[in-house]
Amino acid sequence: MRADRLVSLVLLLRQRGRLTADTLARELEVSTRTVLRDIEALSAAGVPVYAERGRHGGFALLPGFRTELTGLNHDEALALLATGSARGEQAFGLGPALASAMRKVVDALPENHRATASDAARRFLVDPETDLLARRLVTDEVSGATMAEVRRAVLAGHKLRIHYAATGQTPRWRTVDPIGLVTVRDRGYLLATRAGTDRTYRLSRVLAAEELPETAERPDRVDLDRIWRERSARFLSGGDHITALVRVDPARREELLDAALAVRAEEPDADGRLRLEVTFQDSRHAEWALWQLGTDAEALTPQSLRSALRDRAAALAARYGDSAPASSPVPLRASS
């Protein structure tokens, strides 16, 4: 909404001082032309914003200007609540609302606390894009328009049409009764029912969505934590999933967990390693995941998984045995 954008523009100028039109455009996620129109609108409304020319010019407010612009709107309040854990602002499409809300929170602080709070905020970094091993964290991508439709239907209690691309199937439209939204390891899910049957949809596979005017068939009160546990249990007990007992070096524990679907039990072993009961998508998935960990992990059960890993290791050992290769390789010539 333009009113929210104008408020954010004023707050940016109050908190940062002079800013160029290009900087304001990046912060507000609009074009430079839109920023210039907003500046004109603010000036016409009596907000003392002025332009400074020159190499270090930009837009600024007259010193001492202050007005009550800090009331949070619905999406901003929702963003603060949803982002209390991990990176919900990305999974639910609330990033811009969160940025706007945080500007209002900072502006609402007493002036003598504002600088201290801003400095303190710079001392915290939550979930950067890469971990210590420089592995980039992968987050599901959902278009803003699609996420907004899904979010509105969930909150309003309306039916929802989604164009969904299920794995291995042609995308098609379906109408569902949305229950709630869940984010797990930067993956977002829509919990819903369809024709009275429980359904869980991965948000990154929703290609388009449309909120319908009809009321959704769902209970007035919901316990998402309980529903998620129940659906997870059903998911893990179905299909070709395989559960393995694994001994792993504690330093490689997180890599194992990243690859597994779920961890059912965990306890320390006598030699300092960890003993975990983990579930994989299928036997091939389990073999691949444990092979990545080399000798830092050992499958104790099932025997079929141990045999598959043994055969793979034997084939590799045979390939790199003591005997010379059948034909001598041509030496690589150094480039000049």
Side-chain angles (χ1 to χ4, degrees), residues 55 58 61 87 102 108 118 130 159 171 178 184 196 205 208 226 228-229 234 261 289 326 335-336:
R55 180 180 177 185
L61 293 169
R87 295 154 65 139
M102 294 311 296
S118 296
T130 59
K159 288 183 179 292
V184 181
R205 294 177 183 156
R226 176 186 58 79
W228 182 256
R229 288 198 307 269
R234 288 200 299 269
L261 288 179
S335 59
S336 56

Side-chain angles (χ1 to χ4, degrees), residues 237-271:
S237 63
D240 298 324
H241 299 159
I242 179 175
T243 297
L245 185 61
V246 179
R247 291 175 70 249
V248 64
D249 186 316
R252 309 295 295 276
R253 174 183 179 275
E254 292 304 317
E255 291 178 65
L256 176 62
L257 298 192
D258 286 344
L261 288 179
V263 179
R264 298 188 172 217
E266 178 177 353
E267 63 181 17
D269 214 350
D271 62 354

